[in-house]
């Protein structure tokens, strides 16, 4: 017997099974439909953006509490494109991360749009399909968002123990009611945040104020110092285009209207002011009575330059969420709705 015929030989199907297969032909079923909530939200000509949010905030269209999600949510609103938002998780995203956008069912498109393709989608939907002009300084300023501001946000939310309750409220508790799963998820998120920070900061194998999980040490002083310098640089860039000066616009790089970079800066600044501002009862002390040792990111935003970043934030809010335009109760106070 040849090798080929030996490999190709298969035992015959027993007659009872063959009769069963013959009487029940193979059927190919249609793909599962989208969940009812997704169908109802995309049944018209309005696309749906899936973001980190609470059910109530999503129903009201309020800002996401995640910087990346908020950047695209803001840019869609600045582009005057109608859309719905729904709360979601990374596990539901086709790329494993949020946000992603589900086109309107009436558009004929069925594939979800990941964040890497959102800009082209938004450009295709705008009445004036003109790409933003890329400013020579934009790449350098984008690095300030991608490294120092992102690191400070990650550290403050995930690694600063004073914000454990906030982390639980935003990301841990909505994921599961199981204490074991919550503890595991909390550990995973903190480890991932630390790993991201250590990719772009100096680290050593031992010593320092906050030992890492594996190979390095996170240095809060370095993180906050870099964040302060980044915020000062962004405020200075805005001061060049101060809206009070003749011919200036108040948007980054002198643009005539806010663009994607403005939305990205707003996402960090708004969330820093919203979540990481010094409480009224924390002048010089933590709520637990500990001596104040680390700056509040919201304070760093307010102190940068001459208030350009707060002014920029409010101009964005005027165009997107006018009911959320804020003012400070005092120099270092928490923000209040107007």
């Amino acid at each position: 017997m040849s090798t080929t015929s030996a490999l190709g030989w298969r035992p015959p199907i027993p007659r009872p099974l063959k009769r069963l297969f013959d009487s029940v032909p193979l059927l190919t079923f249609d793909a599962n439909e989208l969940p009812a909530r997704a169908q109802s939200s995309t049944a018209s000509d309005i696309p749906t953006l899936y973001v980190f949010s609470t059910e109530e905030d999503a129903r009201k269209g309020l800002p996401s509490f995640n910087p990346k999600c908020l950047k695209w949510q803001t840019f869609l609103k600045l582009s005057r494109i109608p859309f719905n938002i729904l709360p979601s998780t990374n596990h539901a995203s086709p790329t494993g991360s949020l946000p992603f956008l589900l086109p309107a069912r009436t558009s004929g498109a069925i594939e979800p749009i990941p964040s890497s393709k959102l800009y082209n989608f938004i450009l295709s939907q705008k009445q004036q399909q003109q790409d933003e002009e890329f400013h020579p300084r934009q790449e350098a300023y984008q690095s300030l968002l991608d490294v120092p501001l992102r690191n400070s946000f990650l550290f403050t939310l995930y690694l600063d123990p004073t914000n454990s309750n906030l982390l639980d409220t935003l990301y841990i508790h909505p994921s599961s009611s199981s204490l074991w799963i919550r503890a595991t998820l909390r550990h995973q998120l903190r480890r991932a945040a630390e790993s991201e920070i250590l990719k772009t900061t100096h680290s050593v194998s031992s010593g320092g104020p906050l030992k890492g999980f594996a190979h390095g040490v996170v240095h809060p002083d370095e993180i906050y110092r870099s964040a302060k310098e980044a915020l000062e640089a962004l405020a200075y860039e805005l001061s060049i285009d101060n809206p009070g000066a003749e011919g200036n616009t108040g948007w980054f790089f002198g643009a005539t209207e806010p663009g994607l970079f403005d939305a990205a800066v707003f996402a960090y600044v708004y969330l820093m002011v919203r979540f990481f501002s010094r409480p009224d009862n924390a002048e010089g002390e933590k709520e637990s009575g500990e001596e104040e040792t680390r700056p509040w990111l919201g304070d760093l935003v307010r102190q940068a330059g001459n208030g350009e970043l707060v002014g920029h934030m409010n101009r964005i809010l005027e165009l997107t969420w006018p009911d959320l335009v804020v003012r400070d109760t005092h120099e270092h106070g928490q923000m209040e709705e107007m």
Side-chain angles (χ1 to χ4, degrees):
M1 182 181 293
S2 67
T3 305
T4 303
S5 61
L7 291 176
W9 179 84
R10 294 290 185 273
I13 299 176
R15 289 183 180 277
L17 286 180
K18 187 176 186 304
R19 286 196 298 269
L20 176 63
F21 292 154
D22 290 341
S23 63
V24 184
L26 179 65
L27 295 177
T28 302
F29 293 95
D30 295 334
N32 291 333
E33 295 183 350
L34 290 170
R37 183 177 66 171
Q39 290 188 40
S40 63
S41 298
T42 58
S44 65
D45 57 350
I46 299 179
T48 301
L49 184 70
Y50 290 78
V51 299
F52 286 109
S53 181
T54 65
E55 292 280 353
E56 182 178 0
D57 284 356
R59 179 171 50 82
K60 296 178 179 179
L62 295 176
S64 168
F65 51 74
N66 177 273
K68 185 178 179 182
C69 292
L70 181 54
K71 176 182 77 170
W72 290 108
Q73 185 183 3
T74 302
F75 191 51
L76 279 165
K77 291 181 73 70
L78 290 173
S79 301
R80 295 178 288 278
I81 298 175
F83 67 100
N84 294 318
I85 67 169
L86 281 177
S88 188
T89 65
N90 285 332
H91 299 293
S93 171
T95 61
S97 65
L98 295 178
F100 72 92
L101 185 137
L102 200 61
R105 296 180 68 190
T106 54
S107 69
I110 58 175
E111 293 295 328
I113 300 173
S115 59
S116 60
K117 298 181 179 180
L118 274 177
Y119 180 79
N120 288 336
F121 168 81
I122 294 172
L123 187 63
S124 69
Q125 301 297 307
K126 295 178 68 172
Q127 294 181 354
Q128 297 180 345
Q129 297 185 10
Q130 182 176 358
D131 200 354
E132 292 184 14
E133 182 179 352
F134 185 83
H135 195 278
R137 298 194 301 273
Q138 186 168 337
E139 184 175 359
Y141 280 94
Q142 181 64 47
S143 68
L144 299 180
L145 305 183
D146 295 339
V147 181
L149 290 194
R150 181 171 182 262
N151 284 347
S152 66
F153 193 90
L154 289 175
F155 176 84
T156 303
L157 178 58
Y158 292 95
L159 300 181
D160 188 339
T162 61
N163 290 310
S164 294
N165 289 338
L166 178 62
L167 176 62
D168 286 351
T169 299
L170 298 182
Y171 290 101
I172 307 300
H173 291 173
S175 300
S176 175
S177 59
S178 167
L179 296 179
W180 183 85
I181 293 178
R182 287 179 175 181
T184 301
L185 179 59
R186 189 181 298 109
H187 176 80
Q188 291 175 341
L189 289 177
R190 286 174 171 167
R191 185 166 186 171
E194 186 192 46
S195 176
E196 288 297 306
I197 293 173
L198 290 176
K199 289 178 182 179
T200 55
T201 58
H202 301 292
S203 62
V204 294
S205 58
S206 63
L210 190 64
K211 291 186 178 181
F213 283 92
H215 305 294
V217 173
V218 174
H219 295 277
D221 291 344
E222 177 186 342
I223 289 173
Y224 285 116
R225 181 174 62 252
S226 297
K228 181 177 181 180
E229 293 172 354
L231 291 168
E232 290 287 351
L234 290 167
Y236 174 76
E237 174 63 31
L238 275 176
S239 71
I240 300 176
D241 298 292
N242 190 301
E246 184 178 356
N248 290 332
T249 65
W251 308 120
F252 278 98
F253 315 120
T256 56
E257 60 182 21
L260 183 60
F261 187 81
D262 292 274
V265 173
F266 166 80
Y268 276 110
V269 167
Y270 174 79
L271 294 177
M272 287 177 176
V273 172
R274 177 183 177 185
F275 291 119
F276 306 129
S277 289
R278 187 194 308 268
D280 291 336
N281 63 341
E283 288 293 338
E285 293 185 352
K286 295 282 189 183
E287 292 186 16
S288 61
E290 298 177 2
E291 183 179 354
E292 181 69 53
T293 58
R294 294 174 188 165
W296 296 80
L297 289 178
D299 289 356
L300 296 183
V301 168
R302 293 181 177 90
Q303 295 164 2
N306 293 309
E308 289 87 357
L309 291 175
V310 174
H312 179 267
M313 176 187 72
N314 278 330
R315 287 193 293 278
I316 294 286
L317 287 172
E318 287 280 6
L319 296 173
T320 54
W321 293 278
D323 293 340
L324 298 182
V325 173
V326 299
R327 63 180 177 85
D328 290 336
T329 55
H330 47 74
E331 183 179 358
H332 298 293
Q334 291 181 298
M335 66 183 194
E336 286 188 349
E337 295 184 9
M338 292 293 283

